[in-house]
Amino acid sequence: MSDGPPSEQPGPLPIERADVDAAARRLAGVAHRTPVLRSTHLDELAGAEVHIKAECFQRTGSFKFRGAYNALASLDEAERRRGVVTVSSGNHAAAVALAARLFGVPATVVMPSDAPGNKRAATEGYGARVVTYDRYREDREARGRQVAAELGAVLIAPYDQAEVMAGQGTLALELFEEVPELDVLVVCVGRGGLMAGCATVARSVAEARGRAVEVVGVEPEASDDHRRSLAAGRRVGLDAVPRSIADGQLATIPGALTFAVNQRRVDRFVTVADDEIVATMRTLFERVKVVAEPSGASALAAVLAGTVARPGSRIGVTLSGGNIDVERFRSLTGG
Amino acid sequence: MSDGPPSEQPGPLPIERADVDAAARRLAGVAHRTPVLRSTHLDELAGAEVHIKAECFQRTGSFKFRGAYNALASLDEAERRRGVVTVSSGNHAAAVALAARLFGVPATVVMPSDAPGNKRAATEGYGARVVTYDRYREDREARGRQVAAELGAVLIAPYDQAEVMAGQGTLALELFEEVPELDVLVVCVGRGGLMAGCATVARSVAEARGRAVEVVGVEPEASDDHRRSLAAGRRVGLDAVPRSIADGQLATIPGALTFAVNQRRVDRFVTVADDEIVATMRTLFERVKVVAEPSGASALAAVLAGTVARPGSRIGVTLSGGNIDVERFRSLTGG
């Protein structure tokens, strides 16, 4: 295990509630206001009220559209004309591609060569150019900066950027608007961008109503860098690139900006095993009738594993995305 | 091919728009108001605006809850105390079971012995008793009447009953409230109960706005008894029990009451092949992120096959149910 930079100091954080509110205004009428799903069966399994924010129905099939569009919308005209570049394993790629198309600017996406085929196809389908790198041998951030420099384009970070985190936070804003009395908010965590936005909203809601919200992050077992980092009080990196079916959550170290936020605003991180994720994808299919990709099912998997629930509590859960093709679903559920 | 009874005469029909409005009042706050889903991808495939009424999110996982609950709600206290009996291949069974539970009355369901296991489990899960019969050797209606007589219970017909048809029609009521300018309404057809309710609403909407709605019914190729009956001008039965993956649409002859309505209010019936249904289930999974059982996907399958769409038109489509387990989905999509 290698260490990251020293712990962030207390002080101003990269985003506050006002940034999320501003993002919500930019996203109004552009992003979908996704439904909050309920299921008697899930409530019985969890022993609690489960409210699922179904971002599988978001444009491009995941929450990533929120942050990508907010980042594009925050650029000025001259910046946008230069075009945008980003680095992503998939969902952020498609999100930037669509956001760029909506603004009429060219987008280039640096993707790992083993990214799921459906995610690459979606990204190209939205008109972006795809450049690949080797997830296990090359540094993704360096590759992104290199491509951006070559093209003279603006880099849209997949998580470590204030506008991206603030955009993702609009998910929690909508969820609390619909269910103001949530006791617990459970969020899937990769590099921590969604969590940073959502935790910021949860803290602000808790303060306004004078009653706490427990904020819980969920990581795959093999990729528990946030859990370790929170325990250590500083960003801690994993020695090896984790392998998990949750391809949207394969982080080796928390983002610098996301961790600055999450260290102060998240109560705890828990982990789920791949087989718990698959079981949850099945439950979502059969009982809720929705499609979740592995990363999309991980937060609910933690709830159903009993890691999170307090009996009778009201739990908000992210279902972060639904981008999985039938072949991969068949393969994962075939064991 | 055997013939049914002679054609119904013009005259009063079993249900009118006012019956559907009354059902909507009974269902308010009990049935879910299911979402109407859109997909840019589907619009491109269809060359039209496709609006999907997603009854996979209805209570018990299909539209059948609407009719079953309306039928139970229309009984008086003395009738309900006797308990209810119904005959169903699955979704109507679970719907009656839940409706009966909500009213606190006992329910017995006569199911074919080869009904999908998940549907039988759901029915029993809602507290109903299940009695089986042989779909290929016994007469389902006779078996239902026999069980009802033995128990002294009230028979809730799965389709040929005014309250059931009117309840199903609330689906179209909600769809037209959300998309008033629909040009075409495409409805899956088994025995025709959903269609009778929906066609009644469509005709009333068309009259009120002074512009036609084309009403199209969709049957599996092997079970085209409505198409044949409409062409013949009277109920025409099939010689053999049809075999199709669309287990909710395996009708041999239209219902007497449903056909009386549909003969006057439906423009045409079209058919879809099983492989078109499977392809549509895949598309719904990958692009819309929702789960459809085969019967649930058949109406959209007809739209995507080009059988229904007029370029640029606004098409309302039923996604009638999502009750399929992962194993069956894997098996159907494995070909």
Side-chain angles (χ1 to χ4, degrees):
Chain A
M1 193 174 304
S2 66
D3 289 355
S7 175
E8 285 73 14
Q9 296 304 307
L13 292 180
I15 57 165
E16 295 298 340
R17 165 66 182 267
D19 300 304
V20 183
D21 291 338
R25 288 190 294 273
R26 294 190 193 101
L27 288 168
V30 182
H32 294 326
R33 191 182 172 94
T34 54
V36 177
L37 307 177
R38 299 292 316 276
S39 153
T40 310
H41 181 74
L42 287 186
D43 287 0
E44 284 166 8
L45 286 180
E49 257 187 38
V50 180
H51 301 262
I52 301 174
K53 183 64 171 166
E55 288 288 295
C56 52
F57 300 125
Q58 187 51 268
R59 294 182 82 165
T60 70
S62 90
F63 74 93
K64 291 282 191 179
F65 179 72
R66 297 173 182 270
Y69 187 87
N70 190 47
L72 265 289
S74 302
L75 297 177
D76 64 30
E77 266 307 314
E79 289 171 313
R80 273 201 290 267
R81 264 198 302 276
R82 290 162 52 198
V84 294
V85 169
T86 196
V87 182
S88 165
S89 70
N91 282 336
H92 177 69
V96 168
L98 176 58
R101 175 192 265 189
L102 294 174
F103 281 106
V105 308
T108 303
V109 176
V110 181
M111 294 188 101
S113 45
D114 62 348
N118 63 323
K119 293 185 176 177
R120 178 170 179 157
T123 302
E124 292 175 329
Y126 291 120
R129 191 165 70 94
V130 169
V131 174
T132 60
Y133 77 99
D134 183 338
R135 188 204 290 273
Y136 299 99
R137 296 173 62 182
E138 291 182 80
D139 180 78
R140 54 189 250 158
E141 275 74 21
R143 190 83 176 89
R145 283 191 301 270
Q146 181 196 2
V147 172
E150 283 166 16
L151 296 170
V154 178
L155 195 63
I156 305 285
Y159 50 91
D160 241 357
Q161 183 175 326
E163 295 80 12
V164 173
M165 294 186 278
Q168 320 302 30
T170 59
L171 181 161
L173 214 55
E174 293 172 8
L175 181 52
F176 277 103
E177 277 171 17
E178 204 134 326
V179 196
E181 294 304 322
L182 287 180
D183 302 300
V184 186
L185 179 64
V186 185
V187 178
C188 52
V189 175
R191 296 280 179 165
L194 175 62
M195 177 51 107
C198 290
T200 298
V201 170
R203 289 300 165 226
S204 133
V205 166
E207 195 172 322
R209 77 183 187 189
R211 191 168 63 78
V213 177
E214 189 185 21
V215 180
V216 181
V218 179
E219 299 178 290
E221 274 180 353
S223 186
D224 64 341
D225 50 304
H226 281 80
R227 192 177 63 77
R228 294 177 189 230
S229 297
L230 192 68
R234 66 176 197 288
R235 294 165 67 215
V236 172
L238 305 177
D239 289 331
V241 176
R243 299 197 183 232
S244 159
I245 61 171
D247 55 87
Q249 299 180 274
L250 299 180
T252 48
I253 187 164
L257 298 183
T258 61
F259 189 67
V261 174
N262 291 332
Q263 186 177 23
R264 295 260 291 277
R265 293 178 175 155
V266 177
D267 290 291
R268 59 193 175 106
F269 292 93
V270 301
T271 64
V272 287
D274 279 3
D275 61 350
E276 292 172 323
I277 291 176
V278 171
T280 302
M281 291 168 66
R282 279 180 173 271
T283 300
L284 284 166
F285 181 103
E286 293 186 346
R287 306 304 296 239
V288 190
K289 322 298 181 190
V290 295
V291 176
E293 62 186 282
S295 306
S298 67
L300 182 61
V303 173
L304 298 184
T307 318
V308 169
R310 287 174 289 153
S313 60
R314 275 176 289 260
I315 306 180
V317 184
T318 57
L319 191 175
S320 59
N323 291 321
I324 180 169
D325 59 27
V326 169
E327 304 323 319
R328 183 140 189 266
F329 181 80
R330 296 185 72 248
S331 153
L332 289 176
T333 55
Chain B
M1 196 175 303
S2 68
D3 288 356
S7 175
E8 285 72 13
Q9 297 304 307
L13 292 180
I15 57 165
E16 295 298 340
R17 166 66 183 265
D19 300 302
V20 183
D21 291 336
R25 287 190 294 274
R26 294 189 194 103
L27 288 168
V30 181
H32 294 327
R33 191 181 173 97
T34 54
V36 177
L37 306 177
R38 300 292 315 277
S39 153
T40 310
H41 181 74
L42 287 185
D43 288 0
E44 284 166 9
L45 287 179
E49 256 186 39
V50 180
H51 301 262
I52 302 173
K53 183 65 170 164
E55 288 288 294
C56 52
F57 300 124
Q58 188 50 266
R59 294 183 81 165
T60 70
S62 91
F63 74 94
K64 290 281 191 180
F65 179 73
R66 297 173 181 270
Y69 188 88
N70 190 47
L72 265 288
S74 302
L75 297 177
D76 65 32
E77 267 307 311
E79 289 171 314
R80 273 202 289 268
R81 265 198 302 275
R82 292 162 51 199
V84 295
V85 169
T86 196
V87 182
S88 166
S89 67
N91 282 335
H92 177 69
V96 168
L98 175 59
R101 174 192 265 190
L102 294 175
F103 281 107
V105 309
T108 303
V109 176
V110 180
M111 295 187 100
S113 46
D114 62 348
N118 62 324
K119 294 186 175 176
R120 178 170 180 161
T123 303
E124 292 176 328
Y126 291 120
R129 191 165 70 94
V130 169
V131 173
T132 60
Y133 77 99
D134 182 337
R135 188 202 290 272
Y136 300 98
R137 297 173 61 185
E138 292 183 80
D139 179 78
R140 53 188 252 157
E141 275 75 20
R143 190 81 176 89
R145 283 191 300 271
Q146 181 196 1
V147 172
E150 282 166 16
L151 296 170
V154 178
L155 195 63
I156 306 286
Y159 49 91
D160 241 358
Q161 183 175 325
E163 295 80 12
V164 173
M165 294 186 278
Q168 320 302 31
T170 60
L171 181 160
L173 214 54
E174 293 173 8
L175 181 53
F176 277 104
E177 277 171 17
E178 204 134 326
V179 196
E181 294 304 323
L182 286 180
D183 303 299
V184 186
L185 179 64
V186 186
V187 179
C188 53
V189 175
R191 296 279 180 165
L194 175 62
M195 177 51 108
C198 290
T200 298
V201 170
R203 290 297 167 231
S204 133
V205 167
E207 194 171 324
R209 75 183 189 191
R211 191 167 64 78
V213 176
E214 189 185 20
V215 180
V216 182
V218 179
E219 298 178 292
E221 274 180 353
S223 185
D224 64 340
D225 51 303
H226 281 80
R227 193 179 62 78
R228 294 175 189 232
S229 297
L230 191 68
R234 66 177 195 289
R235 293 165 67 216
V236 173
L238 306 177
D239 290 330
V241 175
R243 299 197 182 230
S244 159
I245 61 170
D247 54 89
Q249 299 180 272
L250 299 179
T252 48
I253 188 166
L257 299 183
T258 61
F259 189 67
V261 174
N262 291 331
Q263 187 177 23
R264 295 261 292 278
R265 294 181 175 153
V266 177
D267 290 291
R268 60 195 175 106
F269 292 94
V270 299
T271 63
V272 287
D274 279 3
D275 62 350
E276 292 171 323
I277 291 176
V278 171
T280 302
M281 292 168 65
R282 279 180 172 271
T283 299
L284 284 165
F285 181 103
E286 293 187 345
R287 306 305 297 237
V288 192
K289 322 298 182 190
V290 296
V291 176
E293 61 186 285
S295 306
S298 67
L300 182 61
V303 173
L304 297 185
T307 318
V308 170
R310 287 175 288 153
S313 59
R314 274 175 290 259
I315 307 180
V317 184
T318 57
L319 190 175
S320 59
N323 290 321
I324 179 168
D325 59 27
V326 169
E327 304 322 319
R328 183 141 189 265
F329 181 80
R330 294 184 73 245
S331 153
L332 289 175
T333 55

